[in-house]
């Protein structure tokens, strides 16, 4: 394959390095996916078996894009293809294939975050620990699992009240997972790591299967993910990692930037290549980004540059308060759309979720179409109802799924009856209760038979009809909309029809549980995207608004904020989402906990050279009310 002229010299250098460890430090918008995909295609042209190549990243969206771009570069009728997937889906595959060695049922249930949060809530209620939220408890447990810590070790070193609460909740949560025959997101990684550590046969087999490994977003790996990569690489050490210390923003969930900084120590003799040419943003935006991130000390030193046009100056707006700020944003967007900018090329980013409310109200007021990132298709009630029938059919030990299936369509089966079934067996039931449970069991039996014999889409259609979910939704406008959602589930399942049963259904269940917020954006709609900055990583838009740039909010100064440099990296990520136009906004006053407080402009704004900034707009729309 002649390397295309569209690759720059550094990208070509990375593509040509096949053997041994390789670190690619890729700045924002520097064409890392293009480099990775061309490198994989070049390896195959040089005789590397496609099936011996493994590429891992963090989101379904990123994995899907990389997979499509790799396949587009490969010749047709190629024997085998590289495996391109997320860490979690990789571990699902490993645990399903070697379920006996991992002491797991092949059809283990995979809990999504919502399933886990509900279980944690039950544990908190049981322990009368209402002062803690399920999400905070789950986050703490998740981080410990990411560091390869187990429940018993954590309980032994827990001394503070919050730590003891976490240990107590974790014990109940872990017991419920085991009773349900389920794994959560973090268990997937932990159990796969334990399997690789303890089974020399499995480890050797997988090392021989995947002889060339690529890991994207390496700065986001936690300790368990790092260990999995190290074990799979084995003695060959044909591992290429791609990342950017300046975009490391997930330490709060266990990511360790040191894995990127210390790569050359962990893999001696590694080649290091810096990708510094940005293809995304204007010169103005890149100059601002460089000025901001240069103040950090813990990083791979690099300096982004671009051959793009200079572009618009950066717009900074100081609102009288958060309502004024939101009105400015919505009014500006309304004007942009009238000028021809597509709504789906505009994003509003914020540091904290609570900021979205006033922004949504402003968008509604100005007639700006929008959607808030985070509403996942698979989390809609009616969709989860159908999935619960399939999961209960595939795993009879799943009490939570059985209970949801029992209540999804009214059958007169209550909690007491379900408790009897799982605690004393169905033989303890008599009369009407036994008839109802027998009826439900029979439905699940038929759905199970469909799942193990039919293509995925036909199995889902069968479950939708046989479960009674379809007929229960009714003919109201809301019911019709929900019916369209569950029918869309059948359409989505078509993509898994090429897998032999029951693998197609298993893959569908995995993707449903592992869906990320960004996956919602794969459906193109003419709407402005509202999201947290964390959720925006990996995305790009023509016009970006970064909001709430005030001391204490962004950078955050709330308890638990880990690292001032990470806050600066988060700002760097935010501004490098923009291709053409960047707006930075803040409020002089903001409502907090029911009272109005004065706010100081974020120090991050001061890091931007004034020569890059447009003349300030007129006074805030509400300044006369609040500031005079």
């Amino acid at each position: 394959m002649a390397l295309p002229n569209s690759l720059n010299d550094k990208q070509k250098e990375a593509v040509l390095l096949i053997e041994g460890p390789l670190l690619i430090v890729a700045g924002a918008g520097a064409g890392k996916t293009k480099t990775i995909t061309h490198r994989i295609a070049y390896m195959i042209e040089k005789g590397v078996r496609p099936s011996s190549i493994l590429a891992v990243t963090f989101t379904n969206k990123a994995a899907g894009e990389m997979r499509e771009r790799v396949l587009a570069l490969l010749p047709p009728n190629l024997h085998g293809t590289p495996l391109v997937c997320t860490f979690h889906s990789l571990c699902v595959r490993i645990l399903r294939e070697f379920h006996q060695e991992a002491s797991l049922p092949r059809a283990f249930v995979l809990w999504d975050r919502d399933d886990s949060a509900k279980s944690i809530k039950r544990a908190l209620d049981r322990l009368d620990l209402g002062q803690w939220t399920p999400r905070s408890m789950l986050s703490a447990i998740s981080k410990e699992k990411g560091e390869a810590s187990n429940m018993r070790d954590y309980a032994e070193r827990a001394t503070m009240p919050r730590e003891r609460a976490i240990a107590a909740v974790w014990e109940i949560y872990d017991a419920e997972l085991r009773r349900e025959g389920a794994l959560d997101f973090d268990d997937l990684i932990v159990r796969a790591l334990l399997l690789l550590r303890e089974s020399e046969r499995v480890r050797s087999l997988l090392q021989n299967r995947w002889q060339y490994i690529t890991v994207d977003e390496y700065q986001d790996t936690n300790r368990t993910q790092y260990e999995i990569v190290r074990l799979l690489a084995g003695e060959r050490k044909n591992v290429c990692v791609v990342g950017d210390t300046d975009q490391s923003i997930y330490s709060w969930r266990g990511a360790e930037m040191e894995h990127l900084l210390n790569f050359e120590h962990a893999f001696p003799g590694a080649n290091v290549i810096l990708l510094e040419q940005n293809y995304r943003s204007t010169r103005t935006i890149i100059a601002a980004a460089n000025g901001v991130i240069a103040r950090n000390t813990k990083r791979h030193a690099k300096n982004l540059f671009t051959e793009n046009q200079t572009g618009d100056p950066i717009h900074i707006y100081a609102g009288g308060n958060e309502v004024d700020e939101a009105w400015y944003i919505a009014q500006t967007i309304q004007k942009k759309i009238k000028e021809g900018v597509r709504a789906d090329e505009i994003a509003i980013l914020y540091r904290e979720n609570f900021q979205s409310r006033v922004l949504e109200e402003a968008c509604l007021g100005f007639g700006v179409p929008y959607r808030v990132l985070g509403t996942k298709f698979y989390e809609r009630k009616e969709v989860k109802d159908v999935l619960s029938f399939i999961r209960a059919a595939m795993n009879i030990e799943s009490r939570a799924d059985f209970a949801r299936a029992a209540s999804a369509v009214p059958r007169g089966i209550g909690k007491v009856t379900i408790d009897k079934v799982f605690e004393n067996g169905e033989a303890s039931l008599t009369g009407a209760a036994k008839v109802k449970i027998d009826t439900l069991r029979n439905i699940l039996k038929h759905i199970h038979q469909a799942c193990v014999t039919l293509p995925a889409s036909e199995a889902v259609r069968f479950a939708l009809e046989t479960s009674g979910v379809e007929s229960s939704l009714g003919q109201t406008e809301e019911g019709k909309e929900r019916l369209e959602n569950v029918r869309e589930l059948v359409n989505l399942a078509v993509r898994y029809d090429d897998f032999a049963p029951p693998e197609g259904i298993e893959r569908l269940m995995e993707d449903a549980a592992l869906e990320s917020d960004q996956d919602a954006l794969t459906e193109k709609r003419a709407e402005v995207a509202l999201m947290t900055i964390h959720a925006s990583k990996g995305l790009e838009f023509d016009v970006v608004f970064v909001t709430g740039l005030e001391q204490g909010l962004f950078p955050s100064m709330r308890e638990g904020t880990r690292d001032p440099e990470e806050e600066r990296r988060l700002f760097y990520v935010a501004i490098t989402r923009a291709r053409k136009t960047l707006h930075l906004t803040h409020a002089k006053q903001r409502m907090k906990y029911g009272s109005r407080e004065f706010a100081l402009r974020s120090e991050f704004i001061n890091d931007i050279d004034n020569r890059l900034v447009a003349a300030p707009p007129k006074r805030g729309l509400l300044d006369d009310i609040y500031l005079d």
Side-chain angles (χ1 to χ4, degrees):
M1 178 181 77
L3 297 184
N5 292 329
S6 59
L7 290 172
N8 63 42
D9 290 343
K10 287 295 183 180
Q11 290 172 330
K12 289 178 181 177
E13 186 181 346
V15 167
L16 295 172
L17 287 169
I18 294 178
E19 302 293 330
L22 171 64
L23 167 61
I24 302 175
V25 179
K32 63 168 184 169
T33 304
K34 183 175 185 177
T35 305
I36 293 170
T37 53
H38 277 82
R39 183 175 182 270
I40 291 173
Y42 180 77
M43 291 164 64
I44 292 171
E45 188 192 69
K46 289 301 179 182
V48 174
R49 283 184 300 105
S51 58
S52 70
I53 299 172
L54 169 66
V56 189
T57 187
F58 278 84
T59 68
N60 290 335
K61 183 177 183 297
E65 179 186 354
M66 190 185 300
R67 188 182 305 113
E68 289 177 6
R69 291 171 67 171
V70 166
L71 293 177
L73 293 170
L74 299 179
N77 303 319
L78 191 69
H79 181 66
T81 57
L83 176 57
V84 183
C85 60
T86 64
F87 266 106
H88 288 96
S89 59
L90 171 66
C91 292
V92 169
R93 289 171 185 237
I94 292 172
L95 293 175
R96 293 244 193 255
E97 181 176 352
F98 302 104
H99 63 95
Q100 292 180 327
E101 289 90 338
S103 301
L104 289 169
R106 175 179 168 80
F108 63 80
V109 172
L110 179 54
W111 276 8
D112 60 24
R113 292 295 186 195
D114 185 56
D115 295 326
S116 294
K118 287 178 179 177
S119 176
I120 298 284
K121 175 68 165 58
R122 289 190 289 270
L124 289 169
D125 290 343
R126 178 175 163 184
L127 296 168
D128 195 23
L129 293 172
Q131 68 270 40
W132 309 111
T133 67
R135 294 290 174 183
S136 67
M137 290 282 112
L138 181 58
S139 178
I141 293 170
S142 176
K143 187 171 183 180
E144 288 297 320
K145 288 183 177 181
E147 294 174 356
S149 173
N150 62 51
M151 178 191 64
R152 290 180 178 80
D153 290 343
Y154 181 83
E156 287 178 2
R157 66 175 187 272
T159 55
M160 303 298 290
R162 182 173 182 273
E163 293 172 340
R164 289 196 292 269
I166 291 168
V169 168
W170 192 349
E171 183 176 7
I172 295 173
Y173 175 58
D174 186 65
E176 185 166 350
L177 281 166
R178 282 187 279 107
R179 187 177 68 235
E180 296 279 324
L183 302 180
D184 67 14
F185 282 6
D186 305 293
D187 291 331
L188 288 176
I189 310 293
V190 171
R191 294 294 289 270
L193 175 59
L194 289 175
L195 177 63
L196 289 171
R197 281 176 173 171
E198 295 172 0
S199 173
E200 184 178 351
R201 185 186 78 83
V202 172
R203 185 171 65 250
S204 177
L205 191 153
L206 294 180
Q207 286 172 350
N208 286 318
R209 178 183 299 175
W210 297 312
Q211 298 181 16
Y212 296 87
I213 300 171
T214 299
V215 185
D216 190 17
E217 304 288 6
Y218 193 65
Q219 76 282 347
D220 293 339
T221 54
N222 61 27
R223 190 170 303 172
T224 52
Q225 290 160 340
Y226 164 79
E227 283 295 319
I228 286 174
V229 172
R230 188 182 64 80
L231 289 172
L232 288 177
E235 293 301 316
R236 291 186 183 87
K237 293 184 170 56
N238 289 329
V239 57
C240 167
V241 303
V242 188
D244 182 9
T245 50
D246 294 339
Q247 297 185 72
S248 178
I249 59 173
Y250 294 116
S251 69
W252 50 274
R253 69 183 188 194
E256 297 184 17
M257 186 172 67
E258 288 72 17
H259 297 154
L260 191 64
L261 290 169
N262 299 332
F263 182 80
E264 296 162 87
H265 176 74
F267 294 89
N271 287 290
V272 180
I273 296 175
L274 269 63
L275 302 184
E276 298 174 291
Q277 182 172 356
N278 177 281
Y279 294 91
R280 175 189 301 159
S281 306
T282 64
R283 292 181 183 182
T284 298
I285 292 169
I286 294 304
N290 283 335
V292 166
I293 204 63
R295 293 181 176 270
N296 274 5
T297 59
K298 197 175 182 181
R299 60 190 293 258
H300 281 114
K302 64 182 183 305
N303 193 58
L304 286 185
F305 69 94
T306 185
E307 295 178 358
N308 294 339
Q309 62 184 11
T310 301
D312 296 338
I314 294 168
H315 302 273
I316 298 176
Y317 182 77
N321 65 10
E322 72 277 6
V323 176
D324 184 8
E325 177 193 32
W327 281 15
Y328 163 78
I329 293 168
Q331 192 174 46
T332 304
I333 291 173
Q334 183 189 57
K335 182 180 177 182
K336 287 282 184 185
I337 292 173
K338 287 179 179 178
E339 291 172 351
V341 178
R342 285 171 29 199
D344 60 355
E345 288 295 353
I346 302 173
I348 306 173
L349 310 182
Y350 37 83
R351 178 66 178 83
E352 302 287 353
N353 278 305
F354 77 84
Q355 294 172 251
S356 71
R357 181 192 61 81
V358 68
L359 293 165
E360 289 185 66
E361 290 176 353
C363 287
L364 288 169
F366 281 90
V368 172
Y370 74 93
R371 58 173 154 171
V372 180
L373 197 67
T375 304
K376 302 176 186 177
F377 174 79
Y378 291 113
E379 286 189 355
R380 292 167 179 164
K381 178 186 181 302
E382 58 275 14
V383 174
K384 291 204 76 168
D385 286 344
V386 177
L387 295 178
S388 71
F389 274 94
I390 296 173
R391 295 196 335 181
M394 297 298 286
N395 186 338
I396 61 173
E397 300 299 324
S398 179
R399 177 173 180 159
D401 287 310
F402 186 85
R404 181 166 192 133
S407 62
V409 179
R411 288 191 170 87
I413 300 174
K415 182 178 181 299
V416 173
T417 300
I418 292 172
D419 288 344
K420 286 182 180 179
V421 169
F422 281 90
E423 291 170 13
N424 305 314
E426 289 169 44
S428 63
L429 299 178
T430 58
K434 186 177 189 310
V435 172
K436 293 171 185 176
I437 291 294
D438 286 345
T439 300
L440 179 57
R441 286 290 192 198
N442 196 44
I443 290 171
L444 295 176
K445 179 181 177 181
H446 288 305
I447 292 174
H448 178 270
Q449 185 63 24
C451 290
V452 299
T453 57
L454 298 177
S457 63
E458 293 182 28
V460 172
R461 184 183 293 110
F462 182 87
L464 172 59
E465 295 169 355
T466 306
S467 65
V469 170
E470 184 176 47
S471 59
S472 72
L473 292 176
Q475 294 301 311
T476 65
E477 283 304 311
E478 181 185 357
K480 290 177 182 177
E481 182 179 344
R482 293 170 62 195
L483 183 58
E484 287 303 312
N485 287 335
V486 292
R487 286 176 175 168
E488 179 62 19
L489 181 62
V490 178
N491 296 336
L492 285 171
V494 170
R495 69 181 65 169
Y496 303 91
D497 282 351
D498 290 339
F499 296 102
E503 188 178 358
I505 280 291
E506 291 173 350
R507 294 286 182 93
L508 173 63
M509 295 295 103
E510 292 160 16
D511 286 350
L514 299 175
E515 183 189 29
S516 70
D517 289 344
Q518 288 189 5
D519 293 334
L521 288 181
T522 56
E523 178 190 354
K524 281 291 183 183
R525 303 205 308 251
E527 296 170 334
V528 174
L530 276 69
M531 69 189 85
T532 65
I533 300 164
H534 283 98
S536 75
K537 188 166 177 288
L539 303 176
E540 55 188 71
F541 302 87
D542 283 348
V543 182
V544 170
F545 293 81
V546 184
T547 68
L549 280 160
E550 300 139 31
Q551 290 295 107
L553 179 56
F554 194 20
S556 172
M557 294 180 183
R558 61 183 169 84
E559 184 181 357
T561 298
R562 280 119 316 252
D563 181 358
E565 289 206 356
E566 182 157 327
E567 288 293 299
R568 190 176 299 279
R569 292 194 294 269
L570 190 60
F571 184 53
Y572 174 83
V573 166
I575 61 181
T576 54
R577 299 311 94 198
R579 297 191 195 103
K580 299 177 180 178
T581 307
L582 176 64
H583 293 258
L584 308 177
T585 68
H586 62 99
K588 298 174 183 177
Q589 298 179 32
R590 188 173 293 273
M591 185 71 75
K592 293 182 179 178
Y593 306 109
S595 62
R596 186 160 296 283
E597 298 179 4
F598 284 99
L600 296 175
R601 189 170 86 158
S602 171
E603 64 191 77
F604 294 156
I605 296 178
N606 300 330
D607 295 338
I608 296 175
D609 191 321
N610 284 330
R611 291 172 294 182
L612 304 173
V613 178
K618 296 177 181 179
R619 296 181 67 196
L621 298 171
L622 304 182
D623 275 1
D624 290 340
I625 299 175
Y626 290 102
L627 298 182
D628 281 356

